[in-house]
Amino acid sequence: MKKLIALISAMLILFSFASCGKKDYPFTFGEHIVTDGLYNYYKSAVTASPGDYSASGDDESSINEAAKQCCRKYLAAIKLMENEGITLGSEFKRRAAENTENIWSLFSDYYNSIGVTKQDITRAETHESRMLQLLEHFYGAAGKDPVKEMDLKERFVDMYVGFKAIEGSLTKTNDKDETVPLTDEEIEETEKLFSSMAKSINEGTATIDELNAEYNDSLGIIVTSPLSVLLTKKGDPMYDDDFFNEVSSVTHGRAKAVKSGDSIYVIERQTIATDDEDAFMTYRSEVLQNMRMGKIEKKLDKLLSKMDITENN
């Protein structure tokens, strides 16, 4: 009897240790988990940009629910990959690893402070890579339902405007080596100069590259190459919100003086036609996301309705 009691006691102790060592996660689906840190990562992202997640910034329950939905979709993307019989390719793994290193090098102190580890960042970035691979799997050039190249190119032209630009500053450095705005008179003179350059381009008396060389020469800067074609889209953080609309309003091949922030530009609208392969290929993945990522999201939502995900509130 004593031996039996001793054996039972030993088993109870082992069971107790095993129970203590068990980790409860916010979400689990089979062998797949969402860690506390990953949930915190998503909650932080929702809090920073609630509108991007259809959440209300002043409603804690709305933010929590949006973060939970991110976690559910994280698991659904894994399940959809399994259902389709695909695994994450080396290109997408490399993307996740590089993004993780960049994010961690900049924001590790912040993420550590909210309980997010580097491994959690890797999980989040791996999810983004899964989404891109699913996008290619279903709608890429070799996908199940590929989007026509011409449709992609037409959307590219809708999303972006191309232009060449001569840039001038509306600020200067004072005697104290401080950056200060130009005076009203100086701004007026600068606006006249840039409007004059735009007029010269439109009248055909000078090219934008010639004027750029002349303008920079007046500043003591030697220009050795022609201007590159720049692309911008709505919401581009490089420019004011109305810059895209200003450039879009200019006829292809025409020029206009445009102010944005502390700068003024002579912009000449360029044609990024559907046969501009270099520019198109640079942005092809982004254009495909714009056209079809919503359908991937819908596939995840449909799959979620069938998944038995355990939520540990």
Side-chain angles (χ1 to χ4, degrees):
M1 178 62 72
K2 288 181 180 180
K3 289 182 179 180
L4 181 59
I5 293 173
L7 178 60
I8 293 174
S9 298
M11 291 177 65
L12 287 173
I13 291 171
L14 288 172
F15 179 77
S16 175
F17 278 128
S19 298
C20 290
K22 183 181 179 182
K23 170 67 178 175
D24 288 325
Y25 294 103
F27 294 84
T28 55
F29 177 73
E31 62 180 5
H32 304 297
I33 62 168
V34 170
T35 63
D36 297 333
L38 186 56
Y39 172 76
N40 291 341
Y41 172 87
Y42 284 129
K43 185 173 180 181
S44 174
V46 174
T47 302
S49 303
D52 293 344
Y53 299 88
S54 301
S56 174
D58 55 0
D59 184 350
E60 185 71 13
S61 63
S62 174
I63 290 174
N64 287 337
E65 182 53 40
K68 288 180 180 180
Q69 188 64 4
C70 289
C71 295
R72 297 182 192 110
K73 287 188 175 182
Y74 170 88
L75 294 171
I78 294 173
K79 180 61 176 173
L80 185 55
M81 293 272 284
E82 291 177 348
N83 288 353
E84 292 297 315
I86 57 176
T87 56
L88 200 61
S90 58
E91 173 189 349
F92 297 101
K93 288 179 181 178
R94 183 168 59 253
R95 175 195 176 278
E98 290 174 354
N99 286 352
T100 297
E101 289 299 328
N102 292 335
I103 292 170
W104 194 251
S105 66
L106 293 172
F107 305 114
S108 57
D109 288 345
Y110 167 70
Y111 282 121
N112 277 323
S113 73
I114 63 170
V116 177
T117 67
K118 187 176 182 180
Q119 199 171 11
D120 293 319
I121 301 294
T122 299
R123 291 185 177 101
E125 285 301 317
T126 299
H127 170 71
E128 295 303 319
S129 288
R130 283 193 196 100
M131 295 293 283
L132 293 177
Q133 181 151 350
L134 285 167
L135 185 70
E136 286 294 332
H137 173 72
F138 285 104
Y139 305 113
K144 287 186 169 183
D145 184 17
V147 178
K148 294 179 181 179
E149 288 294 290
M150 187 56 66
D151 291 341
L152 285 169
K153 290 178 179 180
E154 288 177 357
R155 178 62 63 89
F156 168 61
V157 173
D158 290 339
M159 287 174 61
Y160 282 91
V161 291
F163 62 99
K164 288 186 174 184
I166 303 171
E167 182 177 1
S169 178
L170 297 176
T171 63
K172 62 182 179 180
T173 303
N174 64 14
D175 296 336
K176 298 179 181 179
D177 203 29
E178 299 169 331
T179 301
V180 296
L182 299 180
T183 65
D184 291 342
E185 292 79 9
E186 289 169 331
I187 290 175
E188 184 178 354
E189 285 300 314
T190 302
E191 289 176 344
K192 285 182 179 178
L193 172 60
F194 275 66
S195 294
S196 174
M197 287 193 286
K199 183 179 179 181
S200 296
I201 295 168
N202 291 333
E203 291 178 347
T205 57
T207 68
I208 191 170
D209 289 308
E210 291 169 346
L211 292 170
N212 181 58
E214 290 177 12
Y215 175 70
N216 280 280
D217 185 57
S218 71
L219 301 176
I221 302 171
I222 299 175
V223 174
T224 59
S225 59
L227 289 166
S228 301
V229 176
L230 306 174
L231 297 181
T232 187
K233 63 178 180 178
K234 188 177 290 293
D236 189 334
M238 289 287 292
Y239 306 99
D240 282 351
D241 291 341
D242 60 349
F243 185 82
F244 175 85
N245 294 331
E246 288 274 11
V247 180
S248 298
S249 69
V250 180
T251 304
H252 290 89
R254 302 289 287 178
K256 181 180 181 180
V258 178
K259 288 195 293 186
S260 179
D262 293 330
S263 297
I264 184 169
Y265 303 87
V266 174
I267 63 99
E268 182 184 51
R269 178 83 181 272
Q270 302 292 305
T271 300
I272 51 170
T274 52
D275 60 354
D276 190 345
E277 290 296 331
D278 288 342
F280 169 68
M281 291 307 296
T282 300
Y283 293 90
R284 185 185 184 283
S285 177
E286 182 183 347
V287 175
L288 182 60
Q289 289 177 59
N290 180 270
M291 293 185 70
R292 290 290 185 270
M293 189 57 84
K295 289 196 172 186
I296 298 296
E297 295 282 354
K298 288 182 179 179
K299 288 180 183 293
L300 297 186
D301 289 336
K302 184 177 180 180
L303 185 58
L304 277 172
S305 66
K306 304 174 183 177
M307 292 173 63
D308 185 18
I309 294 175
T310 302
E311 298 188 16
N312 179 6
N313 291 319

